[in-house]
Amino acid sequence: MSSLSILHRACLRVALFPVAPLRPPRLPRSLRLPHRSTMSSAASRLSHIATAASGAAGESNETAAAASGLAQEDDDLSSGEMGYRLPPKEIQDIVDAPPLPVLSFSPSKDKILFLKRRALPPLSDLAKPEEKLAGVRIDGHSNTRSRMSFYTGIGIHKLMDNGTLGPEKEVHGYPEGARINFVTWSHDGRHLSFSVRVDEEDNKSSKLRVWVADVESGAARPLFKSPEIYLNAIFDSFVWINNSTLLVCTIPVSCGAPPQKPSVPSGPKIQSNETKNVVQVRTFQDLLKDEYDADLFDYYATSQLMLASLDGTVKPMGPPAVYTSIDPSPDDKYLMLSSIHRPYSYIVPCGRFPKKVELWTSDGKFIRELCDLPLAEDIPIATSSVRKGKRSIFWRPDKPSTLYWVETQDGGDAKVEVSPRDIVYMENAELVNGEQPEILHKLDLRYGGISWCDESLALVYESWYKTRKTRTWVISPDKKDVSPRILFDRSSEDVYSDPGSPMLRRTAMGTYVIAKVNKQDENTYILLNGMGATPEGNVPFLDLFDINTGCKERIWESDKEKYFETVVALMSDKIDGELPLDQLKILTSKESKTENTQYYLQIWPEKKQVQITNFPHPYPQLASLYKEMIRYQRKDGVQLTAKLYLPPGYDASKDGPLPCLVWSYPGEFKSKDAAGQVRGSPNEFSGIGATSPLLWLARGFAILSGPTIPIIGEGDVEANDSYVEQLVTSAEAAVEEVVRRGVVHPDKIAVGGHSYGAFMTANLLAHAPHLFCCGIARSGAYNRTLTPFGFQNEDRTLWEATNTYVEMSPFMSANKIKKPILLIHGEQDNNSGTLTMQSDRFFNALKGHGVQSRLVILPFESHGYSARESIMHVLWESDRWLQKYCVNSTSKADSDSVSDCKNETLSASGGGAACEDELRLREHFVK
């Protein structure tokens, strides 16, 4: 079937409950347009993309219909089928702004790649056939992950000695319209490698081929002379072994045609637990369903490794297998190959399949097996639980060929009390005289990684989610006479005490280790790069830190008055050994509320600042928006924050209170103090994504972005046991604050969120109808009994915390929702827990209670939305909803809500108390 046929059949499913007439919002003066005559939207509709149903009068054919045409429009909407729509032009223009390139620095930091990107992909890209196997979505025609983004071009700039950029040199030679992925530098920076695929007939992409480019000339050519050798990029892709050789995962030439599904099954599908194993798993999706799926997974995921040199030499390495990672040693003499194998599982994704890790020489000789882990279906659902056996196996970046890994001592079960809980080991690649692994460090919390420096210094991290405790240890890896010691012991929630992370430098082997700094004395210094959270907002910093005494000197700090600056990378790392402080060079980013991010070089000792990019403002029409980080307090004393945005040119005294969209996502905390800490900076640039709530600044809305919704469980108290109460009181505090400021109309406040934010939205409309006039919920889960083995950070099962699961589920409170709610969901949502069925069933529950509601299912979309048609339609739906039920919200709906409260019978559940709070708050808002 052609892609066009697929598109014709994949019309948008829309369900509707009765709605009211629509009027456009009152915009701030700077956003208002002169009135001109309007035309009916019906006259300008296309077969699948039509004009928006609301907007400022008198724009192009993509503008809103006049109010007189809206009755017919609503009749069309109620039919259940419709084409894709476009939002008002002021929103379209922002979403369609050209994306900025991605930057990539050469190993020696003397060149920069500008990786060009396209705007939003068309729906036809998502409509391509895909296989859903073992938790992975596969483009079977290309042997890669489906829906993969790509680059459209590569530009090379020299970074001049004075910090400016030289003219751009385009990489050339590959086919026109090529889709480029996996761009990597060779170790010496003289070559680039990348994959290329092109569009073919029937909306298919070609298989991927590996190309290489000469950086000096920009000329590119295929790596393999044979046109029959293709890249298999479902897991790993390729890696430079040395400056002239790559190891590539290729499609086996003998793979043949994909297996065919039997027309008649050989027998029933059977799963058994007669051994009485306790196996609890989250609601994973896209799992294998039968033996045919397992065969199909093997067919697509199996790779043949090939050693390919720039001179054209090609050599197969090892047997075909489902290789998931290929990792050369720092000295390029060895390769660590990870693969998965049968028996597969029907209840967990491929990341838990049996896993084998082997050691090979870089010229293709097998050395030994490091481990062969069994199927891991039984990892406990408790947070901080892990797989049994060796895990996190890596090469030491400061040694030529030394391995390290960690093994759990509690069976992987976080509920088991044992000391130590994890042990870190290391050993050489090739063992001599049967030597045994060396114990590097023992940990009582869960292992969290290592930052390596040299034989005398490494930092080991451990943490425990339940208590939020995190520790950093200082160890001397190769000096047994030096005892480990704790460097930092703090709460991961306490952002004010975060000391920062060590800056890394590149070694001669191409690895990255902690940078030591020479201050011309005998002490050992490292650089700590931190976000600098404070009660006034983040003020990023760079500290010179004495690793032995703990003394620190702040050698750089962000401007805190107007700008927000961060340290991005260390640029003066061309030599091994300690870096002289007076030769330090770092890359920083700089932005403000109204100025988009640019990159600078900071050069010591004068700390000279040189700007190296000059990207244009992505949406100049909102360059003068107003942004403020506001602070307020919940009634239990918890300090809360939010970012308040107001449209350009807004004047409260002239324009009056605005309609407001509140967009948030709850967070879980163990302490009130940590929950009340300020996160983020008031000076950060307001990045606006394709589905960002900030788009409605262009429609004259006030936006309250990210108001903190802390769900706190101190000590042994489970946070979710009071989820609804804390959710409502947090929302009450936010609404009361923006109304108090006089910039938001109390009767025109909408609430929205994505995923867990959608869950929040539905709960607020059910339990706080006095606060919001309508809601928008995207890709949410609304019935927690459908996720019985935990969700988010809840690690109790439905049977252990039945009341909590039920009380948190807005599905169970559908009869309490009285305000209009718009539900949007991707038809192919693969996120754990947020099955599309969640929105289907919630909508049916709402409809069964006469709730004004609307369900929009987006064909081919997953948990997040990516196609331009889908995104534009989501924005059209959202804008229509906001105009209808927020901008044009009437006092009658509020009166009905208050009347319902007055007439509600007091019950043991405390509903009467909630109504009293509602009436009290409404009286407060009116005053």
Side-chain angles (χ1 to χ4, degrees):
M1 183 183 298
S2 70
S3 61
L4 190 58
S5 299
I6 292 173
L7 265 172
H8 273 276
R9 294 184 61 185
C11 57
L12 203 67
R13 290 201 285 130
V14 178
L16 178 69
F17 226 65
V19 290
L22 183 65
R23 293 193 302 271
R26 183 170 184 262
L27 298 175
R29 284 169 169 74
S30 65
L31 294 179
R32 294 178 195 164
L33 298 174
H35 174 74
R36 296 190 300 178
S37 60
T38 59
M39 58 183 293
S40 168
S41 65
S44 61
R45 280 190 196 146
L46 304 177
S47 60
H48 282 280
I49 301 180
T51 61
S54 63
E59 297 181 22
S60 68
N61 287 348
E62 295 181 343
T63 55
S68 60
L70 289 173
Q72 178 63 44
E73 187 77 16
D74 279 344
D75 288 342
D76 294 342
L77 294 178
S78 64
S79 66
E81 291 188 3
M82 58 182 291
Y84 287 95
R85 301 297 183 93
L86 293 170
K89 188 175 185 301
E90 55 263 42
I91 289 180
Q92 283 186 60
D93 288 347
I94 298 172
V95 176
D96 281 336
L100 296 178
V102 174
L103 304 188
S104 173
F105 286 83
S106 65
S108 58
K109 305 295 195 303
D110 62 341
K111 296 181 181 68
I112 307 178
L113 298 184
F114 277 48
L115 304 175
K116 317 295 178 60
R117 300 182 292 166
R118 67 170 179 179
L120 299 173
L123 187 64
S124 57
D125 276 12
L126 274 64
K128 294 177 181 178
E130 63 181 358
E131 304 291 344
K132 302 171 184 176
L133 303 168
V136 179
R137 294 189 170 180
I138 296 171
D139 180 341
H141 190 72
S142 298
N143 268 78
T144 187
R145 299 292 179 100
S146 60
R147 308 169 183 234
M148 193 166 62
S149 60
F150 57 88
Y151 303 116
T152 58
I154 305 174
I156 305 173
H157 292 266
K158 285 187 177 180
L159 185 58
M160 312 304 286
D161 291 338
N162 62 2
T164 60
L165 293 181
E168 182 172 272
K169 180 185 300 177
E170 283 280 354
V171 173
H172 58 277
Y174 51 79
E176 184 178 354
R179 301 185 174 201
I180 299 170
N181 289 99
F182 311 117
V183 181
T184 54
W185 294 88
S186 63
H187 298 338
D188 59 7
R190 295 176 59 189
H191 291 90
L192 298 173
S193 57
F194 51 93
S195 70
V196 166
R197 56 191 163 121
V198 295
D199 286 334
E200 296 180 338
E201 295 180 0
D202 298 325
N203 194 37
K204 292 180 179 179
S205 291
S206 68
K207 296 187 184 299
L208 280 70
R209 299 192 66 190
V210 182
W211 283 60
V212 291
D214 179 83
V215 172
E216 192 62 33
S217 67
R221 61 176 176 83
L223 173 65
F224 296 103
K225 294 180 179 179
S226 169
E228 302 301 319
I229 300 179
Y230 299 106
L231 178 67
N232 189 341
I234 289 174
F235 288 108
D236 213 337
S237 53
F238 50 81
V239 64
W240 288 91
I241 300 299
N242 52 49
N243 290 324
S244 61
T245 306
L246 293 98
L247 181 63
V248 184
C249 294
T250 68
I251 301 173
V253 293
S254 60
C255 66
Q260 296 298 307
K261 188 177 183 67
S263 57
V264 178
S266 59
K269 300 175 183 178
I270 298 173
Q271 298 184 54
S272 174
N273 193 37
E274 295 176 62
T275 54
K276 298 183 178 181
N277 293 329
V278 177
V279 179
Q280 301 177 348
V281 295
R282 296 286 178 105
T283 48
F284 299 117
Q285 300 192 53
D286 297 343
L287 302 176
L288 298 179
K289 300 181 291 296
D290 51 31
E291 189 63 22
Y292 168 71
D293 273 2
D295 291 342
L296 207 57
F297 177 74
D298 277 338
Y299 174 81
Y300 287 118
T302 297
S303 295
Q304 172 64 62
L305 299 180
M306 301 285 281
L307 287 166
S309 297
L310 297 181
D311 62 6
T313 305
V314 176
K315 174 185 176 183
M317 176 179 163
V322 183
Y323 293 104
T324 56
S325 70
I326 49 179
D327 189 9
S329 62
D331 62 2
D332 298 331
K333 292 182 179 179
Y334 303 96
L335 292 165
M336 182 167 56
L337 307 180
S338 299
S339 61
I340 55 179
H341 60 83
R342 295 183 184 237
Y344 295 152
S345 170
Y346 298 155
I347 64 172
V348 294
C350 59
R352 296 192 182 186
F353 287 0
K355 177 181 179 181
K356 182 184 293 184
V357 183
E358 297 176 334
L359 202 60
W360 291 65
T361 63
S362 57
D363 59 356
K365 296 177 182 177
F366 174 77
I367 299 177
R368 62 189 173 99
E369 181 182 284
L370 297 178
C371 67
D372 191 354
L373 305 177
L375 179 65
E377 291 183 329
D378 59 349
I379 298 176
I381 62 173
T383 309
S384 300
S385 294
V386 295
R387 189 174 193 158
K388 301 173 187 175
K390 292 182 179 180
R391 68 181 199 278
S392 301
I393 309 175
F394 296 108
W395 296 104
R396 269 185 65 169
D398 63 319
K399 292 289 185 180
S401 54
T402 299
L403 294 158
Y404 71 99
W405 68 90
V406 63
E407 295 185 34
T408 180
Q409 307 300 300
D410 57 12
D413 190 347
K415 293 184 178 179
V416 173
E417 295 296 333
V418 65
S419 178
R421 189 174 291 277
D422 275 339
I423 297 180
V424 185
Y425 297 90
M426 65 178 181
E427 68 181 7
N428 293 321
E430 294 202 56
L431 304 179
V432 179
N433 299 325
E435 62 181 311
Q436 295 299 306
E438 177 185 343
I439 293 178
L440 180 66
H441 194 50
K442 296 180 179 180
L443 301 166
D444 284 337
L445 307 180
R446 187 64 77 204
Y447 169 79
I450 301 179
S451 293
W452 295 89
C453 183
D454 52 28
E455 69 281 351
S456 64
L457 176 62
L459 302 181
V460 183
Y461 309 101
E462 63 173 340
S463 63
W464 197 247
Y465 178 77
K466 201 70 176 177
T467 60
R468 309 301 198 272
K469 179 179 281 293
T470 179
R471 292 183 187 138
T472 302
W473 291 82
V474 177
I475 64 170
S476 296
D478 301 329
K479 296 186 176 181
K480 305 309 171 190
D481 56 335
V482 180
S483 299
R485 59 185 175 86
I486 293 177
L487 183 64
F488 305 120
D489 188 350
R490 46 183 292 273
S491 168
S492 59
E493 290 184 338
D494 182 11
V495 294
Y496 292 169
S497 69
D498 188 348
S501 302
M503 294 289 291
L504 304 180
R505 67 168 179 84
R506 193 175 188 273
T507 69
M509 296 184 292
T511 60
Y512 285 84
V513 298
I514 296 174
K516 280 186 175 179
V517 177
N518 182 353
K519 197 185 174 185
Q520 298 182 340
D521 58 26
E522 300 299 320
N523 297 337
T524 301
Y525 297 97
I526 64 174
L527 297 169
L528 292 181
N529 176 20
M531 290 307 295
T534 73
E536 287 71 45
N538 289 356
V539 183
F541 63 83
L542 188 64
D543 280 351
L544 189 66
F545 184 80
D546 189 322
I547 199 71
N548 296 314
T549 66
C551 295
K552 59 186 177 181
E553 174 189 349
R554 189 140 298 179
I555 61 173
W556 177 89
E557 187 175 71
S558 169
D559 176 282
K560 61 182 74 171
E561 298 303 322
K562 179 182 178 181
Y563 291 101
F564 177 72
E565 302 169 281
T566 62
V567 175
V568 178
L570 187 63
M571 301 293 283
S572 51
D573 61 353
K574 298 179 183 178
I575 59 173
D576 281 344
E578 295 185 353
L579 305 177
L581 181 60
D582 60 2
Q583 296 179 25
L584 192 63
K585 184 188 296 184
I586 60 175
L587 178 71
T588 63
S589 65
K590 184 177 183 180
E591 61 196 78
S592 72
K593 296 177 183 179
T594 57
E595 299 172 47
N596 55 304
T597 304
Q598 306 293 350
Y599 293 94
Y600 293 77
L601 286 179
Q602 305 276 349
I603 305 171
W604 268 252
E606 298 87 1
K607 298 184 183 179
K608 178 184 177 183
Q609 180 173 276
V610 180
Q611 183 172 346
I612 61 174
T613 62
N614 188 25
F615 297 127
H617 197 294
Y619 20 88
Q621 60 271 53
L622 294 180
S624 59
L625 61 80
Y626 174 86
K627 174 186 176 181
E628 180 184 355
M629 182 175 284
I630 63 174
R631 299 168 179 80
Y632 49 98
Q633 184 172 293
R634 203 164 74 176
K635 66 182 182 182
D636 61 357
V638 176
Q639 298 296 316
L640 305 177
T641 60
K643 293 176 182 176
L644 175 63
Y645 295 86
L646 299 173
Y650 171 71
D651 185 333
S653 63
K654 297 178 181 178
D655 297 311
L658 297 173
C660 177
L661 175 58
V662 177
W663 200 270
S664 193
Y665 193 99
E668 190 174 304
F669 294 87
K670 290 301 293 182
S671 76
K672 291 182 178 180
D673 288 343
Q677 291 183 351
V678 176
R679 292 163 172 81
S681 167
N683 296 326
E684 287 179 275
F685 179 70
S686 303
I688 302 179
T691 57
S692 169
L694 299 186
L695 289 166
W696 277 271
L697 288 167
R699 298 284 284 155
F701 274 71
I703 307 297
L704 193 66
S705 177
T708 46
I709 311 282
I711 311 299
I712 304 166
E714 295 187 306
D716 294 329
V717 175
E718 295 288 349
N720 283 338
D721 288 348
S722 58
Y723 172 87
V724 171
E725 176 188 350
Q726 295 193 62
L727 181 72
V728 171
T729 56
S730 296
E732 285 176 342
V735 168
E736 186 171 346
E737 175 63 19
V738 292
V739 171
R740 181 192 67 79
R741 288 169 170 259
V743 297
V744 168
H745 194 294
D747 295 330
K748 300 180 186 297
I749 304 176
V751 62
H754 187 94
S755 194
Y756 206 50
F759 177 72
M760 169 206 75
T761 297
N763 265 309
L764 285 173
L765 292 184
H767 302 290
H770 54 294
L771 297 178
F772 304 105
C773 60
C774 65
I776 301 172
R778 300 175 184 166
S779 299
Y782 309 103
N783 183 353
R784 285 304 167 195
T785 68
L786 298 177
T787 56
F789 291 109
F791 57 90
Q792 290 294 109
N793 296 316
E794 178 59 68
D795 55 18
R796 296 172 294 173
T797 70
L798 168 64
W799 299 273
E800 293 171 324
T802 305
N803 289 341
T804 297
Y805 272 67
V806 171
E807 290 170 4
M808 287 183 70
S809 298
F811 178 86
M812 303 299 182
S813 299
N815 60 317
K816 296 181 181 179
I817 295 179
K818 306 300 181 186
K819 300 296 178 68
I821 181 170
L822 172 63
L823 304 176
I824 302 175
H825 217 120
E827 194 170 38
Q828 306 293 328
D829 193 330
N830 64 342
N831 183 56
S832 177
T834 55
L835 296 82
T836 308
M837 174 181 64
Q838 289 271 8
S839 287
D840 279 325
R841 293 188 175 180
F842 187 40
F843 175 73
N844 287 334
L846 295 167
K847 187 167 61 172
H849 289 88
V851 179
Q852 282 184 312
S853 50
R854 181 175 174 89
L855 172 63
V856 180
I857 302 295
L858 302 169
F860 304 116
E861 293 290 353
S862 186
H863 190 59
Y865 320 136
S866 57
R868 184 179 187 274
E869 294 92 330
S870 302
I871 287 173
M872 290 298 182
H873 190 89
V874 165
L875 299 176
W876 177 83
E877 291 280 359
S878 301
D879 187 72
R880 173 186 173 275
W881 205 254
L882 292 172
Q883 305 306 320
K884 195 162 213 173
Y885 297 113
C886 183
V887 173
N888 297 303
S889 175
T890 63
S891 59
K892 181 181 183 301
D894 302 323
S895 299
D896 289 345
S897 177
V898 174
S899 177
D900 289 343
C901 248
K902 288 180 177 178
N903 295 328
E904 184 174 333
T905 303
L906 295 180
S907 65
S909 66
C915 276
E916 289 174 5
D917 285 344
E918 177 178 331
L919 295 173
R920 174 182 55 78
L921 280 166
R922 173 121 346 247
E923 291 169 359
H924 171 81
F925 292 156
V926 171
K927 291 178 181 177

